[in-house]
Coordinates of all heavy atoms in Angstrom, one line a residue:
M1 N -11.0 -2.6 -13.7 CA -11.7 -2.0 -12.6 C -12.5 -0.8 -13.1 O -12.1 0.0 -14.0 CB -10.7 -1.4 -11.6 CG -11.4 -0.7 -10.4 SD -10.2 -0.1 -9.3 CE -9.9 1.5 -10.0
L2 N -13.6 -0.6 -12.6 CA -14.6 0.5 -13.2 C -14.6 1.6 -12.2 O -14.5 1.6 -11.0 CB -16.1 0.0 -13.2 CG -16.3 -1.2 -14.2 CD1 -17.9 -1.6 -14.0 CD2 -15.9 -0.8 -15.6
G3 N -14.7 2.9 -12.8 CA -14.6 4.0 -12.0 C -16.1 4.3 -11.6 O -17.0 3.7 -11.9
D4 N -16.2 5.5 -10.9 CA -17.6 5.9 -10.4 C -18.5 6.1 -11.4 O -19.8 5.9 -11.5 CB -17.4 7.2 -9.6 CG -16.8 6.9 -8.3 OD1 -16.7 5.7 -7.8 OD2 -16.2 7.9 -7.6
D5 N -18.0 6.5 -12.7 CA -18.8 6.7 -13.9 C -19.0 5.4 -14.7 O -19.6 5.3 -15.7 CB -18.1 7.7 -14.9 CG -16.8 7.3 -15.2 OD1 -16.3 6.1 -15.0 OD2 -16.1 8.1 -16.0
R6 N -18.7 4.3 -14.0 CA -18.8 3.0 -14.6 C -18.1 2.7 -15.9 O -18.2 1.7 -16.6 CB -20.4 2.6 -15.0 CG -21.3 2.8 -13.9 CD -21.1 1.9 -12.7 NE -21.2 0.6 -13.0 CZ -20.7 -0.5 -12.2 NH1 -20.0 -0.2 -11.2 NH2 -20.9 -1.6 -12.6
K7 N -17.1 3.5 -16.3 CA -16.1 3.4 -17.3 C -14.8 2.8 -16.9 O -14.4 3.0 -15.6 CB -15.8 4.6 -18.0 CG -17.0 5.4 -18.7 CD -16.6 6.6 -19.3 CE -17.7 7.3 -20.0 NZ -17.4 8.6 -20.6
P8 N -14.1 1.9 -17.6 CA -13.0 1.3 -17.0 C -12.0 2.4 -16.7 O -11.7 3.4 -17.4 CB -12.4 0.5 -18.3 CG -13.6 0.3 -19.2 CD -14.5 1.6 -18.9
R9 N -11.2 2.1 -15.5 CA -10.1 3.0 -15.2 C -8.8 2.4 -15.6 O -8.6 1.2 -15.4 CB -10.0 3.2 -13.6 CG -11.3 3.9 -13.1 CD -11.1 4.3 -11.8 NE -10.1 5.4 -11.7 CZ -10.5 6.7 -11.8 NH1 -11.7 7.0 -11.9 NH2 -9.5 7.7 -11.9
I10 N -7.9 3.2 -16.2 CA -6.6 2.6 -16.7 C -5.6 3.5 -15.9 O -5.6 4.6 -15.9 CB -6.4 3.0 -18.1 CG1 -7.7 2.6 -18.9 CG2 -5.2 2.5 -18.7 CD1 -7.8 1.1 -19.0
F11 N -4.8 2.6 -15.2 CA -3.7 3.1 -14.5 C -2.4 2.8 -15.3 O -2.3 1.9 -15.9 CB -3.6 2.4 -13.0 CG -4.7 2.9 -12.2 CD1 -5.8 2.0 -12.0 CD2 -4.7 4.0 -11.5 CE1 -6.8 2.4 -11.2 CE2 -5.8 4.5 -10.7 CZ -6.9 3.7 -10.6
P12 N -1.4 3.7 -15.0 CA 0.0 3.6 -15.7 C 0.5 2.2 -15.3 O 0.3 1.6 -14.2 CB 0.8 4.6 -15.1 CG -0.2 5.7 -14.7 CD -1.4 5.0 -14.3
P13 N 1.3 1.6 -16.2 CA 1.8 0.2 -16.0 C 2.5 0.0 -14.7 O 2.6 -0.9 -14.1 CB 2.7 -0.1 -17.2 CG 2.7 1.1 -17.9 CD 1.7 2.1 -17.4
E14 N 3.4 1.1 -14.3 CA 4.1 1.0 -13.0 C 3.1 0.9 -11.8 O 3.7 0.6 -10.7 CB 5.0 2.2 -12.8 CG 4.4 3.5 -12.6 CD 4.0 4.3 -13.7 OE1 3.9 3.8 -14.9 OE2 3.5 5.4 -13.4
K15 N 2.0 1.1 -11.9 CA 1.1 1.1 -10.7 C 0.2 -0.2 -10.8 O -0.9 -0.3 -11.0 CB 0.1 2.4 -10.8 CG 0.8 3.6 -10.5 CD -0.2 4.7 -10.3 CE 0.7 6.0 -10.1 NZ -0.2 7.2 -9.9
R16 N 1.0 -1.3 -10.2 CA 0.3 -2.6 -10.1 C -0.4 -2.5 -8.8 O 0.0 -2.0 -7.8 CB 1.3 -3.6 -10.0 CG 2.1 -3.9 -11.4 CD 2.9 -5.0 -11.3 NE 3.8 -5.2 -10.1 CZ 4.3 -6.3 -9.8 NH1 4.2 -7.3 -10.6 NH2 4.9 -6.4 -8.7
M17 N -1.7 -3.1 -8.8 CA -2.5 -2.9 -7.6 C -3.2 -4.3 -7.2 O -3.4 -5.0 -8.2 CB -3.4 -1.7 -7.6 CG -4.4 -1.8 -8.7 SD -5.0 -0.3 -9.2 CE -5.0 -0.6 -10.9
G18 N -3.8 -4.2 -6.1 CA -4.7 -5.4 -5.8 C -6.0 -4.8 -5.7 O -6.5 -4.0 -6.5
Y19 N -6.8 -5.2 -4.7 CA -8.3 -4.7 -4.5 C -8.2 -3.6 -3.6 O -7.3 -3.1 -2.8 CB -9.1 -5.7 -3.8 CG -9.2 -7.0 -4.7 CD1 -8.6 -8.2 -4.5 CD2 -10.1 -6.9 -5.8 CE1 -8.7 -9.3 -5.3 CE2 -10.3 -8.0 -6.6 CZ -9.6 -9.1 -6.3 OH -9.7 -10.3 -7.3
F20 N -9.2 -2.6 -3.7 CA -9.4 -1.5 -2.7 C -10.0 -1.8 -1.5 O -11.0 -2.4 -1.5 CB -10.2 -0.3 -3.5 CG -9.4 0.3 -4.6 CD1 -9.4 0.0 -5.9 CD2 -8.6 1.5 -4.3 CE1 -8.7 0.7 -6.9 CE2 -7.9 2.1 -5.2 CZ -8.0 1.7 -6.5
Y21 N -9.4 -1.4 -0.5 CA -9.8 -1.6 1.0 C -9.8 -0.3 1.6 O -8.8 0.3 1.5 CB -9.1 -2.6 1.7 CG -9.1 -4.0 1.3 CD1 -8.3 -4.4 0.3 CD2 -10.2 -4.8 1.7 CE1 -8.5 -5.9 -0.2 CE2 -10.4 -6.2 1.2 CZ -9.5 -6.6 0.3 OH -9.7 -7.8 -0.2
E22 N -11.0 0.1 2.1 CA -11.1 1.6 2.8 C -10.7 2.6 1.7 O -10.0 3.5 2.2 CB -10.4 1.6 3.9 CG -10.9 0.5 4.9 CD -10.4 0.7 6.3 OE1 -9.5 1.7 6.7 OE2 -10.5 -0.2 7.2
G23 N -10.9 2.4 0.4 CA -10.5 3.4 -0.6 C -9.0 3.5 -1.1 O -8.8 4.4 -1.9
L24 N -8.3 2.5 -0.5 CA -6.9 2.6 -1.0 C -6.5 1.1 -1.4 O -7.0 0.2 -1.0 CB -5.9 3.0 0.2 CG -6.1 4.3 0.8 CD1 -5.3 4.5 1.9 CD2 -5.9 5.4 -0.2
T25 N -5.3 1.1 -2.4 CA -4.9 -0.1 -2.7 C -3.4 0.0 -2.8 O -2.7 1.1 -2.9 CB -5.4 -0.8 -4.1 OG1 -5.0 -2.0 -4.3 CG2 -5.0 0.3 -5.2
T26 N -2.6 -1.2 -2.8 CA -1.1 -1.0 -2.8 C -0.7 -0.8 -4.3 O -1.4 -1.3 -5.2 CB -0.5 -2.4 -2.2 OG1 -1.0 -3.4 -3.0 CG2 -0.7 -2.5 -0.7
I27 N 0.5 -0.2 -4.4 CA 1.2 -0.1 -5.6 C 2.7 -0.7 -5.3 O 3.1 -0.6 -4.2 CB 1.2 1.2 -6.1 CG1 1.8 2.3 -5.1 CG2 -0.1 1.8 -6.7 CD1 2.1 3.7 -5.7
L28 N 3.2 -1.4 -6.3 CA 4.5 -1.9 -6.3 C 5.4 -1.3 -7.4 O 5.0 -1.5 -8.5 CB 4.6 -3.4 -6.2 CG 5.8 -4.2 -6.2 CD1 6.5 -3.8 -4.8 CD2 5.6 -5.6 -6.3
Q29 N 6.5 -0.8 -7.1 CA 7.4 -0.4 -8.2 C 8.8 -0.4 -7.6 O 9.1 0.0 -6.4 CB 7.2 1.0 -8.7 CG 8.1 1.4 -9.9 CD 7.8 2.8 -10.5 OE1 7.1 3.6 -9.9 NE2 8.2 3.0 -11.6
D30 N 9.8 -1.0 -8.3 CA 11.2 -1.0 -7.8 C 11.3 -1.6 -6.5 O 12.1 -1.1 -5.6 CB 11.8 0.6 -7.8 CG 11.8 1.0 -9.3 OD1 12.1 0.3 -10.2 OD2 11.8 2.2 -9.5
D31 N 10.5 -2.7 -6.1 CA 10.6 -3.4 -5.0 C 10.3 -2.7 -3.7 O 10.4 -3.1 -2.7 CB 12.0 -3.9 -4.8 CG 12.2 -5.3 -4.1 OD1 11.2 -6.0 -4.0 OD2 13.2 -5.5 -3.4
K32 N 9.4 -1.6 -3.9 CA 8.8 -0.8 -2.9 C 7.4 -0.7 -3.0 O 6.9 -0.6 -4.1 CB 9.5 0.5 -2.6 CG 11.0 0.3 -2.1 CD 11.5 1.6 -1.5 CE 12.9 1.4 -1.0 NZ 13.3 2.6 -0.3
T33 N 6.7 -0.6 -1.8 CA 5.2 -0.5 -2.0 C 4.7 0.6 -1.3 O 5.2 1.3 -0.3 CB 4.7 -1.8 -1.0 OG1 5.1 -3.0 -1.5 CG2 3.2 -1.9 -1.0
G34 N 3.6 1.2 -1.8 CA 2.9 2.4 -1.3 C 1.4 2.2 -1.6 O 1.0 1.0 -1.8
F35 N 0.7 3.3 -1.5 CA -0.8 3.1 -1.6 C -1.3 4.3 -2.6 O -0.7 5.5 -2.5 CB -1.4 3.2 -0.2 CG -1.2 2.2 0.7 CD1 -0.1 2.0 1.4 CD2 -2.1 1.1 0.6 CE1 0.2 0.9 2.3 CE2 -1.8 0.0 1.5 CZ -0.6 -0.1 2.2
I36 N -2.3 4.0 -3.3 CA -3.1 4.9 -4.1 C -4.5 4.8 -3.9 O -4.9 3.9 -3.3 CB -2.7 4.7 -5.6 CG1 -3.2 3.4 -6.1 CG2 -1.3 4.9 -6.1 CD1 -3.2 3.1 -7.6
D37 N -5.2 6.0 -4.2 CA -6.6 6.1 -4.0 C -7.2 5.7 -5.3 O -6.6 5.3 -6.5 CB -7.1 7.3 -3.6 CG -6.8 8.6 -4.4 OD1 -6.6 8.2 -5.6 OD2 -6.8 9.7 -4.0
K38 N -8.6 5.8 -5.4 CA -9.3 5.3 -6.7 C -9.1 6.3 -7.9 O -9.4 5.8 -9.0 CB -10.6 5.2 -6.4 CG -11.1 3.9 -5.4 CD -12.6 3.8 -5.3 CE -12.7 2.5 -4.5 NZ -14.3 2.2 -4.2
T39 N -8.7 7.4 -7.7 CA -8.2 8.2 -8.8 C -6.9 8.0 -9.4 O -6.5 8.6 -10.3 CB -8.3 9.8 -8.3 OG1 -7.2 10.0 -7.5 CG2 -9.6 10.2 -7.7
G40 N -6.0 7.2 -8.7 CA -4.6 6.8 -9.0 C -3.7 7.8 -8.5 O -2.5 7.6 -8.8
A41 N -4.2 8.7 -7.6 CA -3.2 9.6 -6.8 C -2.5 8.8 -5.8 O -3.1 7.9 -5.1 CB -4.0 10.6 -6.3
V42 N -1.1 9.1 -5.7 CA -0.4 8.4 -4.7 C -0.7 9.1 -3.2 O -0.6 10.3 -3.0 CB 1.1 8.5 -4.8 CG1 2.0 7.8 -3.8 CG2 1.5 7.8 -6.2
V43 N -1.2 8.2 -2.4 CA -1.6 8.8 -1.0 C -0.5 8.6 0.0 O -0.2 9.3 0.8 CB -2.9 8.0 -0.5 CG1 -3.4 8.5 0.9 CG2 -4.0 8.5 -1.6
I44 N 0.1 7.3 -0.1 CA 1.3 7.0 0.8 C 2.4 6.6 -0.2 O 2.2 5.6 -0.9 CB 0.9 5.9 1.7 CG1 -0.2 6.3 2.5 CG2 2.1 5.5 2.5 CD1 -0.8 5.4 3.5
P45 N 3.5 7.3 -0.2 CA 4.6 7.0 -1.2 C 5.2 5.6 -1.1 O 5.0 5.0 0.0 CB 5.6 8.1 -0.8 CG 4.9 9.2 -0.2 CD 3.8 8.6 0.7
R46 N 5.7 5.2 -2.0 CA 6.4 3.8 -2.1 C 7.7 3.9 -1.1 O 8.6 4.5 -1.6 CB 6.8 3.3 -3.4 CG 5.6 3.2 -4.4 CD 5.9 2.8 -5.7 NE 7.0 3.5 -6.4 CZ 6.9 4.6 -7.2 NH1 5.7 5.0 -7.4 NH2 7.8 5.3 -7.6
E47 N 7.5 3.4 0.1 CA 8.7 3.4 0.9 C 8.8 2.1 1.8 O 9.7 2.0 2.6 CB 8.7 4.6 1.8 CG 7.4 4.8 2.6 CD 7.3 6.2 3.3 OE1 7.8 7.2 2.6 OE2 6.9 6.0 4.5
F48 N 7.9 1.2 1.6 CA 7.9 -0.1 2.3 C 8.2 -1.3 1.5 O 8.0 -1.3 0.3 CB 6.4 -0.1 3.0 CG 5.9 1.0 3.7 CD1 4.9 1.8 3.1 CD2 6.6 1.4 4.8 CE1 4.5 2.9 3.7 CE2 6.1 2.5 5.5 CZ 5.1 3.3 5.0
Y49 N 8.7 -2.3 2.2 CA 9.1 -3.5 1.3 C 8.0 -4.6 1.3 O 8.1 -5.6 0.8 CB 10.4 -4.1 2.0 CG 11.5 -3.2 1.5 CD1 12.0 -2.2 2.4 CD2 12.1 -3.5 0.5 CE1 13.0 -1.4 1.9 CE2 13.3 -2.7 0.1 CZ 13.6 -1.6 0.8 OH 14.7 -0.8 0.3
G50 N 6.9 -4.4 2.0 CA 5.7 -5.2 2.1 C 4.6 -4.4 2.8 O 4.9 -3.6 3.5
A51 N 3.5 -4.7 2.3 CA 2.2 -4.1 3.0 C 1.1 -4.9 2.9 O 0.7 -5.6 1.9 CB 2.0 -2.7 2.3
S52 N 0.1 -4.8 3.8 CA -1.1 -5.5 3.8 C -2.2 -4.5 3.4 O -1.8 -3.3 3.2 CB -1.5 -6.0 5.3 OG -1.8 -4.9 6.1
D53 N -3.3 -5.0 3.3 CA -4.5 -4.0 2.8 C -4.9 -3.4 4.2 O -4.6 -3.7 5.3 CB -5.7 -4.8 2.5 CG -5.4 -5.5 1.2 OD1 -4.7 -5.0 0.2 OD2 -5.8 -6.6 1.0
F54 N -5.5 -2.1 4.1 CA -6.2 -1.4 5.2 C -7.3 -2.1 5.7 O -8.1 -2.6 5.0 CB -6.5 -0.1 4.8 CG -5.3 1.0 4.9 CD1 -4.5 1.2 3.8 CD2 -5.1 1.7 6.1 CE1 -3.3 2.1 4.0 CE2 -3.9 2.4 6.3 CZ -3.1 2.6 5.1
S55 N -7.4 -2.0 7.1 CA -8.5 -2.6 7.9 C -8.7 -1.9 9.1 O -7.6 -1.6 9.7 CB -8.3 -4.1 8.1 OG -9.4 -4.6 9.0
C56 N -9.8 -1.3 9.4 CA -10.0 -0.5 10.6 C -9.1 0.8 10.5 O -8.6 1.2 11.6 CB -9.9 -1.2 11.8 SG -11.2 -2.5 12.0
G57 N -8.7 1.2 9.5 CA -7.9 2.4 9.3 C -6.4 2.1 9.4 O -5.5 3.1 9.5
L58 N -5.9 0.9 9.6 CA -4.6 0.6 9.7 C -4.1 -0.5 8.7 O -4.8 -1.2 8.1 CB -4.3 -0.1 11.2 CG -4.6 0.8 12.3 CD1 -4.5 0.1 13.6 CD2 -3.7 2.1 12.4
A59 N -2.9 -0.5 8.3 CA -2.2 -1.4 7.5 C -0.9 -1.9 8.1 O -0.2 -1.1 8.8 CB -2.0 -0.8 6.0
R60 N -0.5 -3.1 7.8 CA 0.8 -3.6 8.3 C 1.7 -3.4 7.3 O 1.5 -3.9 6.1 CB 0.5 -5.0 8.6 CG 1.7 -5.5 9.6 CD 1.0 -7.0 10.1 NE 1.5 -7.9 9.3 CZ 1.5 -9.3 9.6 NH1 1.0 -9.7 10.7 NH2 2.0 -10.0 8.7
V61 N 3.0 -2.9 7.6 CA 4.0 -2.7 6.5 C 5.4 -3.2 7.0 O 5.5 -3.2 8.4 CB 4.0 -1.1 6.1 CG1 2.9 -0.7 5.4 CG2 4.4 -0.3 7.3
T62 N 6.3 -3.5 6.2 CA 7.7 -3.8 6.6 C 8.6 -2.8 6.2 O 8.3 -2.2 5.0 CB 8.1 -5.1 6.1 OG1 7.8 -5.3 4.8 CG2 7.3 -6.2 6.9
L63 N 9.6 -2.4 6.8 CA 10.4 -1.2 6.5 C 11.8 -1.7 5.7 O 12.5 -0.8 5.1 CB 10.9 -0.5 7.8 CG 9.7 0.1 8.5 CD1 10.2 0.7 9.9 CD2 8.9 1.1 7.7
S64 N 12.0 -3.0 5.8 CA 13.2 -3.5 5.1 C 12.9 -5.0 4.6 O 12.2 -5.7 5.1 CB 14.5 -3.5 5.9 OG 14.4 -4.5 7.1
H65 N 13.9 -5.5 3.8 CA 13.8 -6.9 3.4 C 14.0 -7.7 4.4 O 13.3 -8.8 4.6 CB 14.8 -7.2 2.3 CG 14.5 -6.7 0.8 ND1 13.4 -7.1 0.1 CD2 15.2 -5.7 0.3 CE1 13.4 -6.5 -1.0 NE2 14.4 -5.7 -1.0
D66 N 14.9 -7.5 5.5 CA 15.2 -8.2 6.7 C 14.0 -8.3 7.5 O 13.6 -9.4 8.1 CB 16.2 -7.6 7.5 CG 16.8 -8.5 8.5 OD1 17.0 -9.7 8.3 OD2 17.0 -8.0 9.7
D67 N 13.2 -7.1 7.7 CA 11.9 -7.2 8.5 C 11.0 -8.0 7.8 O 10.2 -8.9 8.5 CB 11.4 -5.8 8.5 CG 12.1 -4.9 9.5 OD1 13.0 -5.3 10.2 OD2 11.9 -3.6 9.5
Y68 N 10.9 -8.0 6.5 CA 9.8 -8.9 5.9 C 10.2 -10.4 6.0 O 9.3 -11.1 6.2 CB 9.9 -8.5 4.2 CG 8.9 -9.3 3.5 CD1 7.6 -8.8 3.4 CD2 9.4 -10.3 2.7 CE1 6.7 -9.6 2.8 CE2 8.5 -11.1 2.0 CZ 7.1 -10.7 1.9 OH 6.2 -11.4 1.2
R69 N 11.5 -10.8 5.9 CA 11.9 -12.1 6.1 C 11.6 -12.6 7.5 O 11.3 -13.8 7.8 CB 13.3 -12.4 5.7 CG 13.5 -12.3 4.2 CD 15.0 -12.8 3.8 NE 16.0 -11.9 4.4 CZ 16.5 -10.9 3.9 NH1 16.0 -10.5 2.7 NH2 17.5 -10.2 4.4
N70 N 11.8 -11.8 8.5 CA 11.7 -12.1 9.8 C 10.3 -11.7 10.5 O 10.2 -11.8 11.9 CB 12.7 -11.4 10.7 CG 14.2 -12.0 10.3 OD1 14.3 -13.2 10.3 ND2 15.0 -11.2 9.8
D71 N 9.2 -11.3 9.7 CA 8.0 -11.1 10.1 C 7.9 -9.9 11.3 O 7.3 -10.1 12.2 CB 7.3 -12.3 10.7 CG 5.7 -12.1 10.7 OD1 5.2 -11.4 9.9 OD2 5.2 -12.7 11.6
R72 N 8.8 -8.9 11.0 CA 8.8 -7.7 11.8 C 8.1 -6.6 11.1 O 8.3 -6.5 9.9 CB 10.2 -7.3 12.2 CG 11.1 -8.3 13.1 CD 12.2 -7.7 13.5 NE 13.0 -7.3 12.5 CZ 14.3 -7.9 12.2 NH1 14.7 -8.8 12.9 NH2 15.0 -7.5 11.1
Y73 N 7.2 -6.0 11.7 CA 6.3 -5.0 10.9 C 5.9 -3.8 11.8 O 6.2 -3.8 13.1 CB 5.1 -5.8 10.3 CG 4.2 -6.3 11.5 CD1 3.2 -5.6 12.0 CD2 4.3 -7.7 11.8 CE1 2.5 -6.2 13.1 CE2 3.6 -8.3 12.9 CZ 2.6 -7.5 13.5 OH 1.9 -8.0 14.5
C74 N 5.4 -2.8 11.1 CA 4.9 -1.7 11.8 C 3.4 -1.5 11.4 O 3.0 -2.0 10.2 CB 5.6 -0.4 11.3 SG 7.4 -0.5 11.6
C75 N 2.6 -0.8 12.1 CA 1.3 -0.5 11.7 C 1.3 1.0 11.3 O 1.8 1.9 12.0 CB 0.3 -0.8 12.8 SG 0.1 -2.5 13.1
I76 N 0.7 1.5 10.2 CA 0.5 2.7 9.8 C -0.8 3.2 9.5 O -1.8 2.2 9.5 CB 1.3 2.9 8.5 CG1 0.7 2.1 7.3 CG2 2.7 2.6 8.4 CD1 1.0 2.6 5.9
N77 N -1.1 4.5 9.8 CA -2.4 4.9 9.5 C -2.7 5.4 8.1 O -1.6 5.2 7.2 CB -2.9 6.1 10.6 CG -1.9 7.3 10.3 OD1 -1.2 7.4 9.3 ND2 -2.0 8.1 11.4
R78 N -3.7 5.9 7.7 CA -4.1 6.3 6.2 C -3.2 7.4 5.7 O -3.2 7.7 4.6 CB -5.5 6.6 6.0 CG -6.3 5.3 6.3 CD -7.8 5.6 6.1 NE -8.2 6.4 5.0 CZ -8.5 5.9 3.8 NH1 -8.5 4.6 3.7 NH2 -8.9 6.7 2.8
K79 N -2.6 8.1 6.8 CA -1.5 9.2 6.3 C -0.1 8.6 6.1 O 0.8 9.3 5.7 CB -1.5 10.2 7.5 CG -2.8 11.0 7.5 CD -2.6 12.0 8.7 CE -4.0 12.7 8.8 NZ -4.0 13.6 10.0
G80 N 0.1 7.3 6.4 CA 1.4 6.8 6.4 C 2.3 6.9 7.5 O 3.4 6.6 7.5
E81 N 1.7 7.3 8.7 CA 2.5 7.6 9.9 C 2.5 6.2 10.6 O 1.4 5.5 10.7 CB 1.5 8.6 10.7 CG 1.5 10.0 10.2 CD 0.5 10.9 10.7 OE1 -0.5 10.4 11.4 OE2 0.7 12.0 10.8
I82 N 3.6 6.0 11.1 CA 3.9 4.7 11.8 C 3.3 4.9 13.3 O 3.7 5.8 13.9 CB 5.3 4.4 11.9 CG1 5.9 4.0 10.5 CG2 5.6 3.2 12.9 CD1 7.4 3.8 10.4
L83 N 2.3 4.0 13.7 CA 1.8 4.2 14.9 C 2.2 3.0 15.8 O 2.3 3.3 17.2 CB 0.3 3.9 14.7 CG -0.5 5.0 13.9 CD1 -1.9 4.7 13.8 CD2 -0.2 6.3 14.4
A84 N 2.7 2.0 15.4 CA 3.2 0.8 16.4 C 4.2 -0.1 15.7 O 4.1 -0.3 14.4 CB 2.1 0.0 16.9
K85 N 5.1 -0.7 16.3 CA 6.1 -1.7 15.8 C 6.1 -2.8 16.7 O 5.8 -2.9 17.8 CB 7.6 -1.0 15.9 CG 7.8 0.1 15.0 CD 9.2 0.6 15.1 CE 9.5 1.6 14.1 NZ 10.8 2.2 14.3
N86 N 6.4 -4.0 15.9 CA 6.4 -5.3 16.8 C 7.9 -5.7 16.9 O 8.2 -6.9 17.2 CB 5.6 -6.3 16.1 CG 6.4 -7.1 15.0 OD1 7.2 -6.5 14.4 ND2 6.0 -8.3 14.6
H87 N 8.8 -4.7 16.9 CA 10.2 -5.1 17.1 C 10.9 -3.9 17.9 O 10.4 -2.9 18.1 CB 11.0 -5.4 15.9 CG 10.8 -4.4 14.8 ND1 11.4 -3.3 14.8 CD2 10.2 -4.7 13.5 CE1 11.0 -2.5 13.7 NE2 10.5 -3.4 12.9

């Protein structure tokens, strides 16, 4: 991934990520997911067991392995605040 200065950005190995959506991407470590910004700063700590990408300011997350297996999820905002649950 290239930074704003067009030089490659190197993130520590524990910060596995996908693509950036709305300036954030997921990180996964020790079976928990959180979000980082393009500087590599943790914006939302790793406290979820699954997470979608952000879209329209919201992301879908699961709070436990059981929730993940049973497709129960919550919607969070870019601050990590839970706004809605489907269970």
